[in-house]
Amino acid sequence: MAAIRTENLTKNFRQIRAVQGLDLTVDTGEVFGYLGPNGAGKTTTIRLLLDFLRPTAGTATVLGGAPADPAVRRRIGFLPADLSVDPRYTTRDLLDFYGALRGGHDPAWVDALLQRFDLDPNRRFGELSTGNRRKLGLIQAFAHRPELLLLDEPTSGLDPLLQAEFARLIREMTSFGATIFLSSHVLPEVEELAGRVGILRQGELIKVATVEDLRAEARARLELRLAEPALEGVFDGVPGVVEARTEGSTIHLVVEGSMDPVIKRAATLPVVRLITHEADLEEVFLSYYAGDGNAR
Amino acid sequence: MIVATRLIRDRLRGLLWWSVGMIGLVLLTVAFYPAVKDQGQALNDLLNTLPDAFKSAIGYDARIPLTSPPGYLNARLFAILAPVLALIFAIGVGAQAIGGLEEADRMEPLLANPITRKRLAVERYAATVALLVGLIAVLAAASVVLSAPFGALEGVSIAGLVGACAAVGCLAMFHGSIAFAVGAATGRRGPAIGAATVVAVAGYLIQSLQPLTDLLDPFRFVNPWHWYLQRNMLVDGVPPEAVLGPLGVSAVLLAVGVAIFRRRDLR
């Protein structure tokens, strides 16, 4: 059974079409990266999945039920993009309050989370730094060991150490079978965690792919250093070569897709050094943002 | 009642300060009673020369001298100051219950928990009423306890005094419910406070202009200030509409506010 299934999910705010005809399926147990620039409709989607907004058209099914059903929301953990609570609440107050509403937290698990994220439960929300508020947001989202986590920009504001802790926690949760839905406006934040990503632009889901497929789409940059001055046009007609530029005895190549034909051709040349640059996933991603992604 | 008890705890400190203010108001009022009583007839004569609108505004009643305890307490405490204080409190808490919470972006984290919107709204309304009851209980206790030492309780029935305090509470609940309902419908605090304040001021003006013109008479019977101010409750008892009217209207406002809140998008 899918953890999240939307059919033609649409939300308009007066003239603004925030989410249009969204058909999205997130399987139980997967980590799904929900990507798009600011204003693409990521937060609107999450708010629809939690019944904060009512769809203009279409339906959303979460954990097999309706988002409005409290029994469904009991099994969901939600991290808002910017958590706001009464500034007088301490972390402990908030966790106790939410715990009571959820029918009780496991105190050992909550204490472990507080330790992992190094958050003092006795400080008031109003005194917490942005980073600490972020930590509290994560802890309250994970505190009841939800089956589905809806995380809106989870890693923004976390330092690298905490990002690593966050990644460990996500892996731990998925090992228990939890489903993670995380939004971000940059790919690297979700690339390491997500199995699949969906790319949203102006309210429309324009691409759903595994991270591997995106990588395959990525253009690799290659540098061949030869023992002799390179000839122009030696890579002409080789499949996958998007760009070939010669500079003295060096050939710069941009390759899309399989590297095999390029290597075969390179084998005919006196190669001294072969320098490859990491497949640039971000570039693929940005091309979808910019709108030329549809052409592929 | 987890949501309600949490809200009451959040507001307890505020209620404490409001209680101190209420006690201070009662204390200041009754402490001046001996001095007023000594002025006796002179003050009554002076008051009789004032315009009717003013007399009604301060709760003047020809049968009950202003220098008598019920006349004095009614004019000084129950005609304006105590209800205004209670109204400000109730409107503030009522506007915060949903409108203020939502405007501060604190609604969504709370509603991500397994509670329905209806439960959240009803519990926060219940907490609002409970806080108001707390403040009214302080007003009643202070009135009864502090009046006696200054001789301001002679000729005043305890039941009448407590009843008048209850009527203050009902009047405040009426306006607090407007703030609640508008906040629930709009998700904003400003319109909630604004609407309740406009209704309160308009009602008070209509009631105070009543001796001067009968143009506004059609509004009188739906005016909570008329229900509340029509007679000296310390002598004549609480008119049923001063309690039942606000309770009935509040129930309707609660139902409408919750119904809209359940159906709309959060802000």
Side-chain angles (χ1 to χ4, degrees), chain A residues 200-218:
Chain A
L200 199 65
R201 185 163 54 87
Q202 289 167 15
E204 278 182 278
L205 190 64
I206 52 174
K207 177 96 181 171
V208 177
T210 63
V211 172
E212 280 74 56
D213 285 349
L214 274 189
R215 283 216 175 90
E217 242 178 59

Side-chain angles (χ1 to χ4, degrees), chain A residues 157-210:
Chain A
L158 288 185
D159 63 41
L161 225 72
L162 289 165
Q163 287 196 23
E165 191 56 52
F166 169 74
R168 265 197 295 279
L169 188 59
I170 292 291
R171 292 198 188 95
E172 209 175 300
M173 293 300 289
T174 48
S175 74
F176 300 142
T179 308
I180 319 275
F181 183 86
L182 59 160
S183 84
S184 178
H185 61 277
V186 282
L187 183 64
E189 277 187 8
V190 305
E191 195 183 337
E192 298 302 318
L193 294 168
R196 286 196 306 151
V197 296
I199 298 174
L200 199 65
R201 185 163 54 87
Q202 289 167 15
E204 278 182 278
L205 190 64
I206 52 174
K207 177 96 181 171
V208 177
T210 63

Side-chain angles (χ1 to χ4, degrees), chain A residues 11 47 51-54 70 73-74 78 83-89 93 97-98 100-102, chain B residues 2-3 6 10 104-106 108-117 119 262-263 265-267:
Chain A
K11 183 67 192 177
R47 294 178 76 206
D51 188 49
F52 299 157
L53 302 176
R54 307 285 161 68
R73 272 182 283 134
R74 187 184 302 275
F78 167 54
L83 178 69
S84 176
V85 299
D86 191 320
R88 296 168 300 177
Y89 285 7
D93 286 338
F97 179 33
Y98 285 5
L101 290 172
R102 292 161 176 172
Chain B
I2 298 159
V3 176
R6 182 69 243 186
D10 292 347
D105 290 329
R106 294 175 198 160
E108 292 190 3
L110 185 51
L111 270 180
N113 289 293
I115 46 169
T116 60
R117 290 197 197 179
R119 179 180 156 195
R262 288 177 70 186
R263 277 165 185 76
D265 288 339
L266 298 184
R267 269 164 49 84

